[in-house]
Amino acid sequence: MHFKSCTNFAITKGTWQFLSAFLIEHKYAIHSVKDDLESSFYVVLWTTLKYKEIYMDIVHQTSLITQVFKTNPRSSSKANWLIGRSNLPNLIYVNCKPFNNLIHALTEFFLHRYTRITEHQQSV
């Protein structure tokens, strides 16, 4: 996959495929350390999916990469992926359980930024 810059949005915020879901959803948001941490996660995820031996076949690998990295600017699909973690198998990387655990832990960590808590859940 080749990443192209698109519009001033990409130039001012970074390569949009690696931007945090928050910055993608909110065009005029102020860039924070949280966004940088989440962006680092996407760089690691993309790099390892492309260059590390994985258990996924090419169809599932392509589906995951497309779902996470081909989101449109101002779309909530990346946040929805974090919340649902669809197409993310329990075992991703061959013979690398610590890295599998890291990817799942980081996904869990960042999803909390986008999980909506209803008033009923708050009152319980």
Side-chain angles (χ1 to χ4, degrees), residues 34-53:
K34 293 177 192 177
D35 298 305
D36 288 340
L37 291 171
E38 187 178 335
S39 293
S40 297
F41 164 68
Y42 294 122
V43 170
V44 169
L45 181 63
W46 182 82
T47 304
T48 57
L49 286 173
K50 296 294 282 183
Y51 299 108
K52 184 137 180 54
E53 185 179 7

Side-chain angles (χ1 to χ4, degrees), residues 36-104:
D36 288 340
L37 291 171
E38 187 178 335
S39 293
S40 297
F41 164 68
Y42 294 122
V43 170
V44 169
L45 181 63
W46 182 82
T47 304
T48 57
L49 286 173
K50 296 294 282 183
Y51 299 108
K52 184 137 180 54
E53 185 179 7
I54 59 175
Y55 285 114
M56 287 182 272
D57 60 34
I58 193 67
V59 172
H60 289 97
Q61 178 188 18
T62 302
S63 178
L64 177 59
I65 289 172
T66 299
Q67 186 177 16
V68 177
F69 299 104
K70 287 203 172 187
T71 60
N72 294 318
R74 292 177 291 287
S75 161
S76 62
S77 61
K78 190 177 273 189
N80 291 339
W81 175 79
L82 277 171
I83 294 167
R85 289 164 281 177
S86 54
N87 295 324
L88 186 66
N90 286 332
L91 290 176
I92 306 165
Y93 306 102
V94 175
N95 297 323
C96 199
K97 188 175 180 177
F99 209 70
N100 283 313
N101 293 343
L102 174 67
I103 294 298
H104 285 282

